[in-house]
Amino acid sequence: MVGVAGRKLVIVESPAKIKSISAYLGPEFDVEASIGHIRDIPTPSEMPAEIKKGPFGKFGVDVDNDFEPYYIVDADKKKKVAELKRLLKNADELYLATDEDREGEAIAWHLFEALQPKVPVKRMVFNEITRDAIQRAAANTRQIDTNLVDAQETRRILDRLYGYEVSPVLWRKVRAGLSAGRVQSVATRMVVERERERMAFRAASYWDVEADFATTAGEEFTARLTALDEHRVATGRDFDDRGVLTHAKAVHLDQAGARLVADGIAQVPVCVTSVQDKPYTRRPSAPFITSTLQQEASRKLRMSAKESMRVAQRLYENGYITYMRTDSTVLSQAALSAARSQAREMYGAAYVPDAPRHYRSSNAGAQEAHEAIRPAGEVFRTPAQVSGELRGAEYALYELIWKRTVASQMADATGSTATVKVAGTLPDGRVAEFSASGTVITFRGFLAAYEEGRDEEDSRRRKAAKVAAEEERRLPQLHEGDGLDVARVEAEGHETVPPPRYTEATLVKALEQKKIGRPSTYASTLGTIQDRGYVSTQGSALVPSWLAFAVTRLMEEHFGRLVDYDFTAAMEADLDDIARGDAHRVQWLRRFYFGDEASSAEGLRDLVEDLGEIDARAISTIEIGDGLAVRVGRYGPYVEEVAPEGVDPATGEMTEGAAVAPKRASIPDDIAPADLTPEKARSLLAMSADDGRSLGVDPATGHEIVAKAGRFGPYVTEILPEAPATTTTRKTAAPKPRTASLLKDMDLASVDLDTALQLLSLPRTLGQHPETGVPITAQNGRYGPYLKMGTDSRSLETEGQLFTLTLDEALAIYAQPKVRGRAAAKPPLRELGADPVSGKAVTVKDGRFGPYVTDGETNATLRRDDDVETITPERGFELLAEKRAKGPAPRKRAAAKKSAKTTTRKTTTTKSSASKAAARTTTTRKPRTS
């Protein structure tokens, strides 16, 4: 490149883009990557001593001088900046081709500031990496959008002020090392609030009646009891979360009442009293935006938000989809034509409406020139066309995006819904009315390509989905007055269920509905609240920790405005205003931090300074009823009696024999807050009473053996005598006591000395292998009991074998071929017949990651909508065909060893108002920037 005139340097964010973009541009272009941000506001520990003493020392932001930030080049980016400067010396033009959003615009501005180019600078933007898009972007450049830069900088300063002012309060009053954040604290509060609802929930029981009715022609259909004497029969939705019936006129059936109706309807004549037929129409969903892609990938592909964005990033960088961080549902004219023509080719002209469908974004801030997420190019590649290039998660996500995009431009699904009412007069004179609905889809429309998933984790939605599935059926031809026979009638009992916990998909949806945060930040927010220990997962459900309860309570009571949903959404809207140039960043930050005299709104600074006394113990206490409370301690949560046994908690009066101190017990990590009922807590306290219970003395060592309840379950251990005092100053490692967890069928209250000594004897040596002389031991591990001989391990079937297995039996186990990763092959769950391609028998089997179909050569996991009991042979063959089309997964190559890094001294730059203004003038007004 050196010495060649007319060179053009293009800087992108990711190295993955270099190869494709270089191929699409001419030989005069050199493409290099910044690898994300190159500058940021440093932490105080990263600042030079002279800067730390000045106005930037507390936040890295001078709050008294127009909130001017202090930037430094990141330590790991100094070498990259030097390389870019070297390349720039040989270039005649600089193209800043970072992503076309606020972060990308800010990266472009920081590159300009750090590189200080002396050549014309052009801002090159694109939202897909195809030849036409890249060449069009290079020919139609623009200026750096300083409004977008301001919006990103305001958000960065806002988050710095928020975190640096509020987090220290958490350190002092809850626990050191905690963090607060503008979006993460609100997201945590939402998860905690849902858990509080579950804790306050009280189940209500109700009964209903289901019957099968038969026509004179022998056709049967199922209906449910919906009314008695024209009063609606109560269902689950008629009860609130306290278990109270909310509709006074609804009939609440108990077991006796439901059985009375069931017995009575079987004895009396019934007939059709009403038949209604209504048209059915269902419209396709809009193309994907970031949040809806994350939701659907979670539902259908079981991807986390972070994983779906990581896969989408790879698809974008390799030219398969458009930019994946967007909140716009708009499709370009070329994309509309591509989707419509593809739908017409694959499904027929009848499946494409006369005019293109246009979707309006619900987010007023979706103005940053992005399209919806769609396949890249002016002609979409079908999943079959990319199956030879994409594998696994990449193929699955591309297929999902392709289907959603094409379906968005297809015709409505249409049909009809019939509702039938059947009535009979019971022996006691009451009229029982049953209802049944059936939907017949006569034209599938967009459903031929795609159907949106449901949140299966929501038990209420799951029940609704079951009802919907029942309704997607054809009812017999019926007319008013037709007599029917009762073929079956059954009374069924039900209980209301608590509100479902959030999953990643439903939390993203809720954040979006409340307009909190931006789609591009949801994945990182979900990761942060889990990494901080505020939230964990049980299956796909998000469960808050007791620590999250304490932090949320402090925030609600002392920083209520900062975790208020409307206030947080308003901040996001204000950032959108700054991005559009409708608001000024300095004025907005001044109101946020110092307050607004016009509205008497208190600023963050005064909010923190005027906190008053915070009762740290009260903040970390969560009462659960029955005189019990959970406290968040330094070493984890524990349950405690509000007052010792025999002490009146209200007056402090003590009865004879009252306990001196309240009982306490650690709470195991696997007990979710809503699952810790007073009964469960009492059980933990009872187990804790045995904590340290002496079982006796080990005759072999003379050490006392005790049984304890620990955070990770009950265990036994030995008490070692104190080491004698020594005069030497050299430290020696203290001996560790033998410790062993109780087996699954053991109970802490009943474990005895002999059992404890058996446990402490593990690992047990059975003997040596007669041929190799290697010892064989029986051990209890994290995944269950097993044998170990050198590096060869074999699983045992039961924990009891740890103490009873002989050397001969162990040798017999080792004589068998080793089965890696699983036990003996399980019998197939179902047989589907011969595959039309391979000719081999296809079966459904249960695997490590769930059920799958196989013909012995190709395996294909069942999708979420597939059921083992109902899957058809055709569906099984289809899954195998799709898997074959994808081809074998590529083997992973060993990663190349990285060279050792050298530490370089930081250089710092101060961003002054003057320099920023000058930079903006250079990048927005000079004729050479186009």
Side-chain angles (χ1 to χ4, degrees):
M1 186 183 75
V2 178
V4 179
R7 305 306 300 173
K8 300 177 181 180
L9 176 62
V10 180
I11 302 179
V12 296
E13 288 181 44
S14 170
K17 300 177 184 178
I18 294 177
K19 183 178 179 181
S20 298
I21 293 177
S22 296
Y24 298 148
L25 295 174
E28 69 275 19
F29 287 88
D30 298 299
V31 185
E32 189 52 61
S34 68
I35 317 178
H37 275 281
I38 60 166
R39 300 198 312 173
D40 196 8
I41 303 173
T43 63
S45 63
E46 297 172 323
M47 293 180 187
E50 65 276 12
I51 297 296
K52 192 183 299 185
K53 296 176 183 178
F56 296 102
K58 184 176 181 180
F59 304 116
V61 176
D62 186 353
V63 296
D64 296 316
N65 184 26
D66 290 342
F67 293 88
E68 201 61 39
Y70 174 77
Y71 289 113
I72 65 169
V73 174
D74 295 335
D76 58 348
K77 293 297 178 69
K78 282 198 64 182
K79 186 176 180 181
K80 172 57 66 175
V81 171
E83 179 185 355
L84 293 175
K85 285 183 176 180
R86 179 178 57 80
L87 294 171
L88 188 58
K89 289 179 180 179
N90 300 289
D92 295 324
E93 287 182 302
L94 173 63
Y95 288 73
L96 299 174
T98 51
D99 292 337
E100 191 185 11
D101 57 10
R102 295 175 193 175
E103 288 295 323
E105 208 72 21
I107 292 173
W109 183 83
H110 280 292
L111 283 167
F112 181 90
E113 284 287 291
L115 299 179
Q116 292 292 306
K118 307 298 183 185
V119 297
V121 178
K122 299 182 177 182
R123 179 74 172 102
M124 174 179 166
V125 294
F126 46 87
N127 76 325
E128 60 181 341
I129 302 176
T130 60
R131 183 177 300 277
D132 289 343
I134 296 301
Q135 292 179 351
R136 187 165 52 246
N140 298 278
T141 56
R142 62 166 173 81
Q143 303 165 338
I144 290 179
D145 189 332
T146 52
N147 289 329
L148 293 181
V149 176
D150 272 349
Q152 189 278 339
E153 186 173 80
T154 304
R155 181 200 63 78
R156 184 70 186 93
I157 294 172
L158 169 64
D159 290 345
R160 174 58 64 94
L161 297 175
Y162 190 122
Y164 275 41
E165 288 283 27
V166 179
S167 295
V169 180
L170 301 182
W171 303 344
R172 296 193 302 268
K173 298 300 180 181
V174 183
R175 184 186 297 174
L178 299 179
S179 71
R182 178 175 55 92
V183 178
Q184 78 172 57
S185 295
V186 174
T188 301
R189 181 192 176 195
M190 292 172 65
V191 178
V192 168
E193 281 193 334
R194 181 58 56 87
E195 196 73 5
R196 287 172 178 164
E197 293 172 8
R198 291 177 64 88
M199 294 169 75
F201 176 81
R202 297 295 177 266
S205 62
Y206 64 96
W207 285 68
D208 64 8
V209 181
E210 183 181 85
D212 290 344
F213 297 104
T215 66
T216 55
E219 295 178 288
E220 292 187 5
F221 64 95
T222 302
R224 286 190 172 273
L225 178 69
T226 53
L228 282 172
D229 277 347
E230 299 185 353
H231 290 293
R232 186 165 57 81
V233 173
T235 60
R237 68 173 180 269
D238 295 311
F239 298 89
D240 62 19
D241 286 347
R242 296 169 298 160
V244 177
L245 187 66
T246 56
H247 292 81
K249 293 185 178 180
V251 179
H252 183 186
L253 282 181
D254 57 14
Q255 183 178 5
R259 287 183 174 172
L260 186 64
V261 173
D263 293 341
I265 203 69
Q267 303 171 24
V268 300
V270 295
C271 66
V272 177
T273 58
S274 170
V275 178
Q276 291 184 339
D277 211 351
K278 294 181 180 179
Y280 169 89
T281 302
R282 185 172 169 187
R283 292 177 175 81
S285 300
F288 282 131
I289 60 176
T290 304
S291 59
T292 54
L293 177 63
Q294 292 172 359
Q295 294 167 45
E296 197 72 341
S298 174
R299 297 184 192 111
K300 290 197 168 185
L301 306 179
R302 302 181 184 180
M303 289 183 181
S304 67
K306 186 179 293 185
E307 182 185 5
S308 62
M309 294 312 294
R310 186 166 54 242
V311 175
Q313 178 87 32
R314 292 200 299 267
L315 290 174
Y316 164 66
E317 290 175 346
N318 289 291
Y320 290 99
I321 64 171
T322 53
Y323 192 55
M324 66 288 160
R325 294 188 182 92
T326 175
D327 46 12
S328 172
T329 54
V330 172
L331 291 177
S332 67
Q333 193 59 49
L336 289 172
S337 299
R340 287 169 58 81
S341 63
Q342 204 152 63
R344 190 178 294 109
E345 291 171 6
M346 300 190 71
Y347 302 103
Y351 284 80
V352 182
D354 294 337
R357 291 184 182 271
H358 296 279
Y359 296 89
R360 185 184 300 273
S361 174
S362 60
N363 189 343
Q367 85 297 335
E368 294 174 12
H370 287 164
E371 281 189 74
I373 303 170
R374 62 167 177 84
E378 296 185 357
V379 177
F380 299 162
R381 287 176 286 181
T382 66
Q385 289 172 327
V386 301
S387 62
E389 306 166 20
L390 299 178
R391 298 286 187 274
E394 291 182 356
Y395 176 86
L397 195 65
Y398 179 84
E399 182 183 42
L400 191 70
I401 294 168
W402 179 87
K403 286 182 176 180
R404 177 82 163 226
T405 307
V406 172
S408 73
Q409 293 304 311
M410 293 176 66
D412 296 342
T414 57
S416 61
T417 298
T419 302
V420 176
K421 293 185 178 180
V422 176
T425 303
L426 302 175
D428 60 10
R430 292 180 298 169
V431 176
E433 184 178 81
F434 291 75
S435 297
S437 294
T439 297
V440 178
I441 297 177
T442 55
F443 177 68
R444 288 185 58 78
F446 75 93
L447 291 176
Y450 179 82
E451 184 170 4
E452 188 172 27
R454 294 186 176 97
D455 295 313
E456 294 186 2
E457 294 79 6
D458 184 334
S459 55
R460 296 180 180 183
R461 289 176 182 243
R462 188 162 59 240
K463 185 174 181 181
K466 180 181 178 183
V467 172
E470 291 175 352
E471 291 179 351
E472 289 182 12
R473 60 187 175 184
R474 186 185 297 273
L475 293 175
Q477 284 289 333
L478 297 168
H479 301 89
E480 194 171 322
D482 287 353
L484 301 171
D485 294 327
V486 180
R488 178 190 67 89
V489 63
E490 187 176 340
E492 296 181 334
H494 308 275
E495 269 200 350
T496 55
V497 293
R501 290 187 175 102
Y502 284 112
T503 63
E504 286 201 359
T506 56
L507 183 57
V508 165
K509 184 176 182 180
L511 288 167
E512 183 185 29
Q513 288 173 339
K514 293 179 184 294
K515 302 186 185 304
I516 293 169
R518 297 193 67 78
S520 58
T521 66
Y522 290 152
S524 61
T525 298
L526 290 169
T528 298
I529 63 176
Q530 293 179 64
D531 294 342
R532 298 293 185 189
Y534 296 146
V535 173
S536 61
T537 56
Q538 284 187 2
S540 59
L542 298 176
V543 181
S545 63
W546 291 109
L547 177 64
F549 273 72
V551 169
T552 299
R553 181 174 176 183
L554 186 148
M555 295 295 295
E556 289 172 334
E557 294 183 4
H558 299 280
F559 298 98
R561 194 161 65 107
L562 297 184
V563 290
D564 179 78
Y565 300 140
D566 292 338
F567 177 75
T568 307
M571 282 197 290
E572 208 64 57
D574 291 341
L575 291 175
D576 290 338
D577 289 341
I578 295 172
R580 288 191 295 268
D582 296 334
H584 192 272
R585 76 170 191 91
V586 174
Q587 295 171 356
W588 189 89
L589 284 168
R590 188 175 290 124
R591 287 195 302 270
F592 172 77
Y593 189 69
F594 292 113
D596 187 356
E597 293 182 4
S599 62
S600 300
E602 193 173 18
L604 177 63
R605 183 191 62 175
D606 295 335
L607 197 63
V608 173
E609 290 178 352
D610 300 335
L611 281 175
E613 290 296 321
I614 297 179
D615 187 339
R617 181 176 174 84
I619 286 294
S620 297
T621 300
I622 304 98
E623 294 190 4
I624 61 174
D626 195 22
L628 300 172
V630 171
R631 301 197 193 280
V632 180
R634 183 178 180 183
Y635 301 107
Y638 60 93
V639 63
E640 181 183 59
E641 293 175 319
V642 174
E645 189 175 352
V647 178
D648 188 325
T651 64
E653 294 183 4
M654 300 177 63
T655 61
E656 187 176 348
V660 177
K663 295 178 183 177
R664 292 180 178 178
S666 295
I667 302 173
D669 290 348
D670 59 352
I671 299 180
D675 299 336
L676 185 65
T677 61
E679 295 75 22
K680 181 67 176 177
R682 290 286 179 194
S683 173
L684 292 176
L685 290 173
M687 290 178 62
S688 181
D690 285 336
D691 189 17
R693 180 171 64 92
S694 177
L695 303 180
V697 175
D698 183 352
T701 64
H703 297 161
E704 183 183 9
I705 306 299
V706 296
K708 291 189 173 186
R711 184 178 178 185
F712 302 105
Y715 65 99
V716 293
T717 187
E718 62 180 340
I719 305 297
L720 299 180
E722 291 187 10
T726 178
T727 57
T728 179
T729 57
R730 185 178 179 182
K731 291 184 177 180
T732 57
K736 293 184 178 180
R738 292 176 295 159
T739 300
S741 297
L742 268 60
L743 302 184
K744 294 178 182 178
D745 59 351
M746 293 181 180
D747 181 64
L748 183 64
S750 60
V751 67
D752 56 21
L753 179 61
D754 291 339
T755 304
L757 292 175
Q758 270 193 323
L759 292 170
L760 292 174
S761 71
L762 297 175
R764 183 171 69 96
T765 301
L766 306 182
Q768 296 180 340
H769 194 283
E771 297 178 4
T772 64
V774 178
I776 300 176
T777 58
Q779 305 188 27
N780 194 26
R782 181 180 179 184
Y783 301 106
Y786 66 99
L787 292 174
K788 186 172 181 63
M789 182 177 65
T791 59
D792 191 355
S793 300
R794 304 294 176 95
S795 296
L796 295 176
E797 294 180 359
T798 66
E799 290 177 322
Q801 289 178 291
L802 289 168
F803 309 111
T804 60
L805 198 74
T806 65
L807 177 60
D808 289 340
E809 290 171 333
L811 293 173
I813 292 174
Y814 275 105
Q816 301 296 321
K818 186 169 185 177
V819 180
R820 296 189 178 274
R822 59 185 177 90
K826 299 177 182 178
L829 303 176
R830 283 192 60 197
E831 297 180 356
L832 302 181
D835 182 78
V837 177
S838 67
K840 297 185 177 182
V842 176
T843 57
V844 182
K845 292 188 174 182
D846 188 16
R848 181 181 178 187
F849 302 106
Y852 64 98
V853 291
T854 180
D855 64 350
E857 294 181 351
T858 305
N859 299 337
T861 303
L862 267 60
R863 305 286 172 81
R864 177 168 287 194
D865 297 332
D866 296 323
D867 182 75
V868 173
E869 300 298 328
T870 60
I871 187 171
T872 62
E874 291 75 17
R875 176 58 176 160
F877 305 153
E878 179 186 4
L879 290 172
L880 290 175
E882 290 179 359
K883 188 61 180 290
R884 291 191 195 100
K886 295 178 185 179
R891 292 184 178 181
K892 293 183 179 180
R893 296 181 179 178
K897 291 185 178 180
K898 294 183 179 180
S899 58
K901 291 184 178 179
T902 57
T903 305
T904 55
R905 190 178 176 185
K906 291 178 184 170
T907 59
T908 61
T909 59
T910 303
K911 186 191 128 192
S912 66
S913 300
S915 67
K916 185 171 180 180
R920 291 176 181 172
T921 302
T922 304
T923 57
T924 60
R925 296 180 183 177
K926 280 195 176 183
R928 66 182 183 183
T929 305
S930 57

